[in-house]
Amino acid sequence: VGWYHSVFLPIILIEMERGEGSILGAVDECTLCLVSAGICLGNIVTAPLTVSSVHITNSDVAISKRGLKINLLCGDFIEAAYPFMERSYVVNVFAYLASGISTELLLHHRPENVLSSAYIPVGLSIVLAQDMKRMASACSAAFSISFVGFVLGNIVGRRLDTKGKKE
């Protein structure tokens, strides 16, 4: 059992013990679920355009569709994004960037106003927070930055592949 399940999940459960949201739950929603969902959507969108060594297979698209659905509707199938993060330095960097920026948006001012959870649909996670606007901004940043990172990673991968074939 990794750090998440042995340390962070119990802390989230303790924070939510009184029936309120959790700041770590909000961070979890943004930095794990929505970053993964953005990467999965990027994979789904760019798969038909891919004709390079990036090798997006039908099974990659299938797991991305499942990962997108689970991460948006009930949270935490972040493992769906791991293979794509491992394949591309660009995707990996953008995933970390998305996590950092979304966490900053959540924590920069009165974090107690964005208590939420990752184990519910993303829309409900936003409504659960007192400051819905900030929670929505953090969620949007996490999702869109990771999505853009995947698209850029795919483009960079294709360009590198075509340069290698010409030489």
Side-chain angles (χ1 to χ4, degrees), residues 116-136:
S116 193
S117 177
Y119 299 98
I120 54 180
V122 68
L124 188 55
S125 181
I126 292 168
V127 171
L128 184 62
Q130 271 185 321
D131 189 345
M132 290 186 283
K133 185 176 179 181
R134 189 155 39 110
M135 183 66 180

Side-chain angles (χ1 to χ4, degrees), residues 38-54:
I39 291 169
C40 289
L41 181 63
N43 193 14
I44 294 164
V45 169
T46 61
L49 311 172
T50 303
V51 290
S52 71
S53 67
V54 175

Side-chain angles (χ1 to χ4, degrees), residues 34-163:
L34 290 170
V35 168
S36 177
I39 291 169
C40 289
L41 181 63
N43 193 14
I44 294 164
V45 169
T46 61
L49 311 172
T50 303
V51 290
S52 71
S53 67
V54 175
H55 296 305
I56 298 176
T57 65
N58 289 338
S59 59
D60 289 339
V61 174
I63 196 71
S64 291
K65 286 179 180 177
R66 184 172 183 214
L68 178 65
K69 207 179 317 179
I70 291 172
N71 281 311
L72 293 179
L73 297 178
C74 56
D76 273 355
F77 183 35
I78 62 163
E79 296 82 3
Y82 288 171
F84 314 114
M85 290 173 68
E86 287 179 16
R87 289 182 201 166
S88 171
Y89 180 76
V90 174
V91 173
N92 208 15
V93 166
F94 271 81
Y96 281 102
L97 183 65
S99 294
I101 289 173
S102 62
T103 299
E104 174 59 24
L105 289 169
L106 291 172
L107 300 179
H108 85 279
H109 177 70
R110 300 186 60 142
E112 67 274 9
N113 288 344
V114 289
L115 304 179
S116 193
S117 177
Y119 299 98
I120 54 180
V122 68
L124 188 55
S125 181
I126 292 168
V127 171
L128 184 62
Q130 271 185 321
D131 189 345
M132 290 186 283
K133 185 176 179 181
R134 189 155 39 110
M135 183 66 180
S137 295
C139 289
S140 297
F143 186 82
S144 60
I145 292 169
S146 61
F147 171 77
V148 168
F150 188 91
V151 172
L152 289 176
N154 192 291
I155 291 168
V156 168
R158 276 190 272 162
R159 287 202 174 150
L160 291 175
D161 187 44
T162 56
K163 282 183 183 178

